[in-house]
Amino acid sequence: MRNTLLAGLVLWTANAGSEPHAPKTGRPCGALTSAPPSLTQVGWTSPDEAPDWPALRRAAGRIVGVTTKEALSNALAQAQPGDYICIRDSVRTVDWSGFRTTVDGTAERPIVIGPETERAVTFTAERPFLWIRVTNDRYVVGGFRFHNFGHGVFHVRNGADCRFTRLDMRNVGRSDPHAWAWEVSSGSARTRIDHCYMTELVKTGRFNVKDPAQEPLSTGCRFDHNTMEGLMKGGSTFCQLGQGDFLTNNRADPSDNGGQWNLGVLFEYNYINSIKGRYGEQPSVKSSGHVIRYNYWRGGRGVPKLRQCHRTRVYGNFFESLEKDTVTPLSMNGSNLHVYGNIIDMTHGKADCGIRTLMGGFLRNTAYPQCRNVIIEHNTIVNPNGHFKHASVVANFSQALTRNHAGCENEIWRNNLIVADTGAYAAPVSVVVTSPVPPVSLSALNNLVCGSAAPGGLLTVYGTNTVTGDPRLDHAYRPAPGSPAIKAGASIGTEIQDYYGRPIRGRPDIGAVQTF
């Protein structure tokens, strides 16, 4: 359930552990249809839950007009709950930075820093100074452009229930190679970042983890309806969910026990287009309790990577036409992961493989937990032109960076639909065992495979009750009448949704879309 405050402005939403709502109509369909995919429900141009600045001004306790840097500093120092600090259109393009909040808003009367007219004001700053540091609760900030900005735009620390919306961030961090465009760190629960546009950044942003024993985590945050695209300038092109100082300083390994890493970020309805950075992980995940759903990845190499990730669900996402044979649309290492109802279509692209589980971590010479209790089911992978370098789905045990890893345990690949003529290295469904650590309790059940390995393929199809034949998918990735996928899946223990948000029950169809 969502709480709506101040004339339709959604300030925060329930955390990632809540029940999902069904995806909206008009979500992207993909490369099998002659019409281009609809983008009406994803990305920063979506009208869904977008802010209404005139309504916010009308509901404000008072409007504080700002035309100078000094006036904005004074307005923040003297702010009262319910203020709308309005940066006037006459400001246009200015070199302003170095602001800080001092007063809390309230649940009924947040403090708003907003525009007179959305995107009329552009902030620039050659100096490596942050635009604003938020250390108080219940702020709404948005409606501005940040172009050619020397440092980051905002950092929230110990500021809960804040929202950052309709920010246009381009070429941010140009004076500081270590600058994040945005950062949410300790004690900033239920922070929401939505309807923002991000491109040409040194680093995108992160929900940072310090030391859970010393500082509270920023739990229940939401990152939604954002657009990230274009060339990212630095090597770290991540939107990070939980990767931060605590991890990169080698201080500890995230554990699946005790919930100390349970950030619970809801990552949904984002459009990630043609990311071309060195790593391209959008998002990179090193924590627990997340939901990654209803996002659209298109082109480039910006894909999610779940590194030491626990208790996380990934469903209802669409991947289309990636362009690098070293990129895997979905790769994961962790425990209690559930991946279902996703569509991966490489008809006009190429990738390393479709879905991969792997051993090993990110930091060398550090022990990481094994990949265990992972269910990958009801996904559709389309690769008709041999554009995967390896197999379509891979349970991979060759990625150990040290020799002390246990094998993957309790891993299930079930009811996935694979249309794939793979490259020269692999058959469509493969288990790769090139390290000395064997798999433990891995099963592949009732997957449909249509395709074959290229001549000389090195690996083998793995699984039981494998269904073969043309699934006869229509433009919506639905099996047409007579398809061998219909009612051929294994029964599942818990109810999940297909790609379009409809419940999967009983003896299901194989694949991400059910016929009903």
Side-chain angles (χ1 to χ4, degrees):
M1 180 180 295
R2 292 185 176 136
N3 295 322
T4 302
L5 306 177
L6 289 181
L9 178 70
V10 177
L11 185 60
W12 80 281
T13 188
N15 65 32
S18 62
E19 279 302 306
H21 60 276
K24 314 293 191 301
T25 58
R27 292 185 61 241
C29 221
L32 294 188
T33 178
S34 57
S38 171
L39 299 180
T40 58
Q41 299 298 332
V42 296
W44 86 309
T45 60
S46 169
D48 184 30
E49 300 185 19
D52 185 341
W53 303 112
L56 282 170
R57 286 196 296 272
R58 290 192 298 269
R62 62 175 185 171
I63 297 176
V64 181
V66 167
T67 57
T68 67
K69 179 179 179 179
E70 293 72 19
L72 180 53
S73 295
N74 291 335
L76 290 169
Q78 301 169 18
Q80 299 176 12
D83 278 0
Y84 187 110
I85 300 174
C86 181
I87 301 180
R88 300 297 187 187
D89 292 352
S90 59
V91 171
R92 294 300 177 186
T93 302
V94 289
D95 182 353
W96 291 5
S97 61
F99 302 106
R100 181 186 294 268
T101 64
T102 60
V103 178
D104 289 340
T106 67
E108 296 77 19
R109 298 168 66 81
I111 296 171
V112 181
I113 307 172
E116 186 174 22
T117 302
E118 187 175 285
R119 302 175 72 210
V121 175
T122 300
F123 294 103
T124 64
E126 292 296 331
R127 297 166 296 172
F129 296 144
L130 187 71
W131 186 69
I132 191 167
R133 187 178 302 275
V134 177
T135 56
N136 297 89
D137 298 344
R138 296 185 173 89
Y139 274 74
V140 178
V141 181
F144 309 117
R145 301 173 186 257
F146 293 86
H147 292 186
N148 303 318
F149 207 78
H151 196 70
V153 174
F154 64 87
H155 183 185
V156 191
R157 183 179 176 86
N158 295 317
D161 298 292
C162 293
R163 182 183 184 185
F164 298 84
T165 182
R166 298 295 292 172
L167 298 172
D168 181 341
M169 294 177 274
R170 310 182 189 217
N171 199 12
V172 171
R174 57 184 297 174
S175 301
D176 185 351
H178 304 293
W180 295 91
W182 56 267
E183 182 170 357
V184 178
S185 59
S186 304
S188 303
R190 298 172 302 279
T191 295
R192 183 182 181 190
I193 301 169
D194 68 285
H195 292 87
C196 295
Y197 181 79
M198 309 173 194
T199 189
E200 300 289 337
L201 309 181
V202 173
K203 297 181 180 180
T204 309
R206 63 179 178 178
F207 295 91
N208 196 9
V209 172
K210 297 288 185 179
D211 186 344
Q214 302 295 326
E215 299 178 327
L217 295 179
S218 297
T219 58
C221 295
R222 185 181 179 195
F223 187 90
D224 67 286
H225 294 94
N226 300 291
T227 295
M228 296 173 283
E229 64 182 0
L231 175 65
M232 301 296 174
K233 296 181 179 297
S236 299
T237 66
F238 314 125
C239 171
Q240 294 181 345
L241 308 186
Q243 181 172 336
D245 296 341
F246 192 47
L247 285 160
T248 55
N249 288 340
N250 247 347
R251 296 178 60 184
D253 176 59
S255 170
D256 190 39
N257 299 317
Q260 65 171 340
W261 295 91
N262 191 30
L263 287 187
V265 175
L266 180 59
F267 187 96
E268 65 175 353
Y269 291 109
N270 299 294
Y271 178 46
I272 300 96
N273 177 42
S274 297
I275 299 294
K276 300 179 184 295
R278 180 171 150 202
Y279 298 121
E281 297 179 12
Q282 299 280 4
S284 175
V285 185
K286 279 192 173 182
S287 51
S288 304
H290 305 297
V291 170
I292 301 173
R293 66 184 185 187
Y294 311 150
N295 302 287
Y296 184 21
W297 281 268
R298 187 179 193 183
R301 64 187 74 170
V303 291
K305 191 161 189 175
L306 281 59
R307 306 172 182 263
Q308 306 101 52
C309 177
H310 309 288
R311 297 188 303 278
T312 290
R313 291 180 292 160
V314 181
Y315 62 89
N317 299 286
F318 188 91
F319 301 83
E320 180 184 30
S321 302
L322 302 179
E323 59 182 45
K324 186 70 173 178
D325 62 10
T326 58
V327 171
T328 298
L330 274 172
S331 62
M332 64 206 75
N333 161 249
S335 62
N336 297 306
L337 307 178
H338 198 179
V339 178
Y340 60 92
N342 302 287
I343 295 176
I344 298 171
D345 190 340
M346 293 296 113
T347 300
H348 302 293
K350 57 184 177 181
D352 182 66
C353 64
I355 299 176
R356 182 193 296 270
T357 60
L358 52 97
M359 282 176 29
F362 179 55
L363 304 176
R364 293 182 182 275
N365 303 317
T366 303
Y368 288 94
Q370 66 190 121
C371 197
R372 66 182 185 275
N373 301 332
V374 176
I375 300 176
I376 300 168
E377 61 185 342
H378 287 286
N379 301 284
T380 292
I381 301 172
V382 178
N383 174 38
N385 301 316
H387 289 161
F388 285 150
K389 181 179 179 181
H390 291 100
S392 301
V393 295
V394 177
N396 190 304
F397 304 98
S398 63
Q399 303 297 313
L401 299 178
T402 63
R403 297 296 185 184
N404 60 347
H405 299 288
C408 295
E409 179 180 328
N410 296 330
E411 185 173 324
I412 299 173
W413 298 68
R414 179 171 59 200
N415 300 342
N416 299 290
L417 190 154
I418 300 156
V419 179
D421 288 326
T422 65
Y425 300 100
V429 182
S430 301
V431 174
V432 186
V433 185
T434 59
S435 79
V437 183
V440 179
S441 183
L442 183 144
S443 60
L445 307 170
N446 295 68
N447 298 294
L448 185 149
V449 178
C450 177
S452 62
L458 302 177
L459 307 180
T460 58
V461 174
Y462 179 88
T464 58
N465 297 329
T466 301
V467 179
T468 60
D470 183 356
R472 303 180 63 184
L473 298 180
D474 64 14
H475 69 284
Y477 299 90
R478 182 188 303 109
S483 167
I486 295 175
K487 304 304 178 187
S491 297
I492 57 179
T494 58
E495 183 177 298
I496 60 175
Q497 300 85 32
D498 76 350
Y499 175 77
Y500 292 104
R502 300 170 300 188
I504 298 176
R505 303 189 184 98
R507 185 68 186 269
D509 301 335
I510 295 174
V513 180
Q514 301 293 290
T515 55
F516 294 102

